């Protein structure tokens, strides 16, 4: 669908809007894509974790949609490095070794939990989200993106690259040598920062946009 005048993209301002984003995430991740919720999420019909309290929530709102159907139709979760605190960690730290990236002094932004309601999945809506992210990046002086789109979506990475000059670290998209080669060919990513990448993929040429 093409965004109507009633479409708005902005940060969530209230706990109610964050809960609406969590309900959207549940609908997409669990009802549609078949992920397995824990008991609390199943009972509340909301996708949630401890990181929600720390992160900003970028939401797409369709003001022309019936409130009963849920007006939040898109979501991105954003975490600035300077909001972590001395003991905080990025969501991706649970699955990937990003120590080399964290050792730098660059201002980093982690993006995740991205989802858009099925009937709103158009390039026009996604571009509204990415432009809003570009504005967030400028406002917060961000220097590096950490995995701004779902893994393997190199076309989406290219779109993000178009809207912002900020470096992209998309280590989660690299599963095979072919993934790394495609990302390099499309010039969508900066060094991938995957621990032990050359050990995992001994055929990877040196200097192939990887560290």
């Amino acid at each position: 669908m093409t965004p109507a005048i009633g479409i708005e993209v902005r940060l969530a301002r209230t706990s109610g809007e964050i809960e609406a984003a969590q309900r959207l995430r549940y609908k997409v991740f669990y009802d549609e894509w078949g992920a397995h919720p824990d008991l609390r999420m199943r009972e509340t019909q909301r996708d949630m974790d401890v990181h929600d309290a720390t992160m900003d929530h970028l939401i797409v709102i369709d003001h022309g949609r019936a409130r009963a159907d849920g007006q939040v139709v898109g979501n991105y979760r954003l975490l600035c490095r300077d909001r972590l605190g001395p003991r905080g960690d990025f969501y991706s730290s649970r699955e990937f070794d990003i120590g080399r990236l964290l050792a730098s002094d660059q201002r980093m932004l982690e993006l995740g939990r991205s989802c858009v309601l099925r009937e709103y999945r158009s390039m026009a809506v996604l571009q509204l989200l990415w432009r809003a992210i570009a504005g967030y990046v400028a406002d917060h002086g961000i220097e590096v993106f950490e995995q701004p789109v779902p893994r393997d979506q190199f076309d989406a990475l290219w779109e993000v690259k178009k809207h912002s000059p900020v470096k992209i670290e998309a280590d989660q998209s690299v599963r095979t040598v072919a993934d790394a080669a495609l990302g390099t060919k499309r010039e969508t990513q900066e060094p991938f920062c995957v621990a032990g990448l050359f050990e995992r993929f001994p055929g990877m040429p040196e200097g192939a946009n990887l560290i």
Side-chain angles (χ1 to χ4, degrees):
M1 63 171 292
T2 301
I5 295 176
I7 294 276
E8 179 184 13
V9 180
R10 61 167 171 79
L11 295 179
R13 297 169 182 162
T14 67
S15 59
E17 289 180 341
I18 293 174
E19 290 177 3
Q22 292 171 334
R23 284 192 291 273
L24 169 69
R25 283 158 31 189
Y26 190 95
K27 183 178 294 186
V28 173
F29 299 150
Y30 301 97
D31 290 344
E32 180 182 347
W33 294 348
H36 301 289
D38 61 26
L39 179 60
R40 183 187 178 204
M41 288 192 287
R42 188 181 300 112
E43 290 177 344
T44 61
Q45 297 287 288
R46 288 160 48 201
D47 170 65
M48 53 188 145
D49 60 30
V50 296
H51 295 273
D52 279 322
T54 309
M55 296 186 173
D56 283 326
H57 300 260
L58 184 65
I59 55 177
V60 179
I61 305 169
D62 182 357
H63 293 286
R65 187 178 171 89
R67 289 182 179 274
D69 294 331
Q71 293 184 320
V72 173
V73 298
N75 172 79
Y76 250 106
R77 206 165 65 168
L78 301 84
L79 178 59
C80 289
R81 183 177 190 167
D82 56 9
R83 295 184 61 176
L84 287 175
R87 295 191 175 182
D89 61 353
F90 283 105
Y91 181 87
S92 55
S93 298
R94 304 186 309 174
E95 299 184 47
F96 299 90
D97 182 354
I98 60 172
R100 294 178 67 180
L101 186 57
L102 295 176
S104 74
D105 60 356
Q106 292 178 302
R107 292 179 61 81
M108 191 167 82
L109 175 66
E110 181 181 63
L111 292 88
R113 247 28 193 180
S114 60
C115 63
V116 176
L117 202 62
R118 185 197 296 269
E119 57 264 38
Y120 290 82
R121 288 174 202 159
S122 68
M123 185 58 68
V125 171
L126 292 176
Q127 285 179 336
L128 289 176
L129 272 167
W130 293 328
R131 288 169 188 164
I133 291 170
Y136 186 97
V137 164
D139 290 343
H140 291 80
I142 300 300
E143 298 173 282
V144 180
F145 279 132
E146 165 61 17
Q147 194 65 32
V149 303
R151 63 184 56 155
D152 306 325
Q153 294 190 13
F154 292 101
D155 287 341
L157 283 171
W158 181 72
E159 285 290 335
V160 173
K161 192 76 170 179
K162 284 199 307 184
H163 292 295
S164 175
V166 175
K167 293 180 180 179
I168 295 175
E169 307 287 356
D171 50 289
Q172 297 177 38
S173 291
V174 183
R175 300 296 178 179
T176 66
V177 175
D179 291 341
L182 178 59
T184 302
K185 181 178 180 181
R186 294 293 303 273
E187 297 182 348
T188 52
Q189 294 137 301
E190 305 302 327
F192 288 111
C193 291
V194 180
L197 187 62
F198 287 101
E199 288 73 20
R200 289 167 53 201
F201 305 134
M204 185 67 65
E206 291 288 343
N209 203 30
L210 308 170
I211 60 174

